Amino acid sequence: MSVQPVLINGKLTDSPAKKQFQSTNPNTKQLIDDQFPISEWDEIDACLESAANAAVAVRSASRETIASFLEAYADAIDANADALVAAAHLETGLPVSPRLKDVELPRTSNQLRQAANAARTASWTQPIIDTKLGIRACYQSLGPVCVFGPNNFPFAFNSIAGGDFAAALAAGNPVIAKANSSHPLTSFKFAEIVAKILPASGLPAGMVQMIYRTSHADGERLVSDPRLAATGYTGSRHAGLKLKAASDAAGKPFYAELSAINPVVILPGCLKERCDALIDEYATSGLMGAGQFCTNPGLLVMMSDATGDAFVAGISAKYKAAKPGTLLSPAVGESLTKGVSSVQNAGAKLLVGGSAVSESRVAFENTILEVPAKQFVADSHAFQTEMFGNAVLVVRCESVDEMVSVVKELEGNLTGSIYSAKDGSDDAAYDQIAPHLISRVGRMLNDKMPTGVAVSPAMNHGGPFPATAHPNFTAVGIPASIVRFTKLTSFDAVRPNRLPDLLQDASPISSLWRCVDGQWKTGHLS
């Protein structure tokens, strides 16, 4: 069995690591042949040193150079689609079509092209010129960024190709990618592409590097190293909080997406209007991708009345009838089993499912649990245990006031949805609940399930803790996602020829703000 190389200082290099690991095919539960090194500190140190050198060298690179690399990478990804899709399907069990080939891979190359456009236009820099005081400011690159990718999006959130990667590169930051252990072969395929196109890009050799796995201690040492400027992390809350603590102790920004149960509040008038349609809509969303979306609607809040009973009976029938999807890895199956058991032990009633599927693949029965609102409020922390996968907790309420009490106990989430009647009969209830829900989520939805995250400048894929580590930043949506990996720099009495071109009087940036004779204006000087 071959041990795949790491990507360090622009080259695919054999690792001296003493230990290796393999990923698992979740459709067969069998180990995949390729082995990958568990990097030791000397190798990590080499990545950091190369990235630190690249951070200095890239400051003299033009925005066009960065943009051209991102576009060339996007084109190369599209050209290698078949190999990438085959590797991702093997390692994650996600369907080739439409999920991987037709949806996620095009989204990934599109993100890179959007990032290229932002790099070229400097739309994220927010330049400001105060001519009276002689002070000018803009956002600039921060320095080396380490990106940890999640298991559930092998392309769109991959540490060496996904959203965090694109955002960090667009701002001119070198990236050290830490591949997810569930799909190292897929990440290696991306690294092969980078190794081919980076040398001719005009960017420093240390601009993009990748390792596969480290010890927990070395991971914490990596995110707290003085040479690293920031970390982008998407993954489990447990591992993320340990890395965050190490990063925080060193004063390093740690942008993390940690967990979410994405509450959906369904008001009674809405159920009376369109119960059957909502049953179909919820079941489709809740079971999509075996529930393995960070925006999966994992908590339903509704009345304990006849229409609520009909809805729960309807989704129970759908969950029983549907074949459980394949989970991403044995670790996901173990985590889901533990999460469901934890919610049951807290007192939730099991309505459907609740056990692992006895097959040659990694799967869990489609699962529905239920709890009264008063019980949820009394032990809200336990009932908000994340069940990452095809499981949902239904909270049944006796009144709108109880719905409010449930919402007030919610932790921070990526999304929150409220379904209401079209005839206005739920408007008063909506007005009572919405102010509490919106303060607890990053994206508020009406009459729409949260699954799916559009790559739009208006998107917020973030939210209050523990959904993310910083509630005022997004992991999706350019240019906003880029600002995470930047620093605001002021230039005070700096000579014109020493200013960045976007802060000079003839700045190419049309969106800059200028203070002329005490009056603030946007755009170029006339």
Side-chain angles (χ1 to χ4, degrees), residues 4-5 21-24 32 34-37 84 87-88 90-92 150-151 154 158-160 178-192 210-213:
Q4 299 296 358
F21 73 99
Q22 294 166 263
S23 55
T24 300
I32 296 169
D34 297 83
Q35 293 190 339
F36 300 89
L84 287 164
L90 181 68
E91 291 187 306
T92 67
N151 58 6
N158 194 292
S159 60
I160 195 171
K178 209 297 289 179
N180 190 280
S181 298
S182 291
H183 49 251
L185 180 60
T186 306
S187 299
F188 169 64
K189 297 293 183 185
F190 282 119
E192 283 186 309
M210 189 185 76
I211 55 177
Y212 301 97
R213 183 186 278 186

Side-chain angles (χ1 to χ4, degrees), residues 218-510:
D218 281 343
E220 292 171 25
R221 187 177 177 185
L222 166 61
V223 300
S224 59
D225 190 276
R227 290 164 292 184
L228 194 73
T231 298
Y233 171 93
T234 306
S236 74
R237 186 191 304 193
H238 176 75
L241 288 181
K242 287 195 170 184
L243 291 172
K244 182 179 185 300
S247 187
D248 287 348
K252 304 289 183 180
F254 189 84
Y255 300 105
E257 182 193 319
L258 299 169
S259 67
I261 56 174
N262 305 299
V264 177
V265 179
I266 303 180
L267 297 176
C270 178
L271 279 183
K272 291 176 183 176
E273 277 186 351
R274 52 189 194 277
C275 185
D276 289 345
L278 283 176
I279 289 169
D280 291 338
E281 189 175 347
Y282 178 77
T284 298
S285 177
L287 295 179
M288 185 184 298
Q292 297 169 113
F293 286 81
C294 42
T295 52
N296 178 263
L299 186 77
L300 286 173
V301 182
M302 65 180 56
M303 289 294 192
S304 184
D305 56 16
T307 51
D309 292 344
F311 179 86
V312 173
I315 62 169
S316 295
K318 293 279 187 182
Y319 269 51
K320 285 179 182 177
K323 180 182 178 180
T326 300
L327 298 175
L328 292 162
S329 69
V332 171
E334 292 167 9
S335 176
L336 180 55
T337 300
K338 183 178 179 181
V340 170
S341 296
S342 178
V343 174
Q344 275 190 273
N345 292 337
K349 178 183 177 182
L350 182 66
L351 301 181
V352 175
S355 300
V357 173
S358 298
E359 294 182 10
S360 59
R361 65 192 179 101
V362 182
F364 194 88
E365 293 174 337
N366 299 325
T367 298
I368 300 175
L369 302 107
E370 185 179 74
V371 66
K374 285 185 173 62
Q375 194 172 349
F376 178 93
V377 171
D379 196 5
S380 61
H381 180 74
F383 287 117
Q384 290 180 80
T385 298
E386 186 179 29
M387 299 180 289
F388 182 70
N390 48 327
V392 60
L393 176 65
V394 183
V395 182
R396 302 297 296 273
C397 304
E398 298 295 334
S399 65
V400 173
D401 286 342
E402 277 203 345
M403 285 184 161
V404 172
S405 68
V406 168
V407 170
K408 288 170 72 172
E409 291 296 322
L410 294 175
E411 298 177 333
N413 277 276
L414 295 170
T415 72
S417 308
I418 301 179
Y419 276 79
S420 59
K422 296 177 182 178
D423 65 5
S425 60
D426 288 327
D427 286 1
Y430 179 93
D431 291 344
Q432 195 174 341
I433 295 167
H436 299 284
L437 183 58
I438 199 167
S439 67
R440 289 162 172 79
V441 303
R443 176 164 55 114
M444 183 79 166
L445 300 100
N446 284 174
D447 304 315
K448 182 181 179 182
M449 291 296 164
T451 38
V453 180
V455 183
S456 162
M459 175 55 64
N460 179 22
H461 188 58
F465 182 85
T468 71
H470 292 273
N472 53 334
F473 291 100
T474 177
V476 176
I478 290 171
S481 63
I482 297 175
V483 180
R484 295 173 297 163
F485 305 118
T486 67
K487 74 178 186 74
L488 182 63
T489 306
S490 284
F491 295 83
D492 192 343
V494 174
R495 297 177 191 175
N497 64 304
R498 296 174 179 172
L499 290 168
D501 68 330
L502 52 85
L503 289 182
Q504 294 177 8
D505 287 342
S507 172
I509 309 301
S510 61

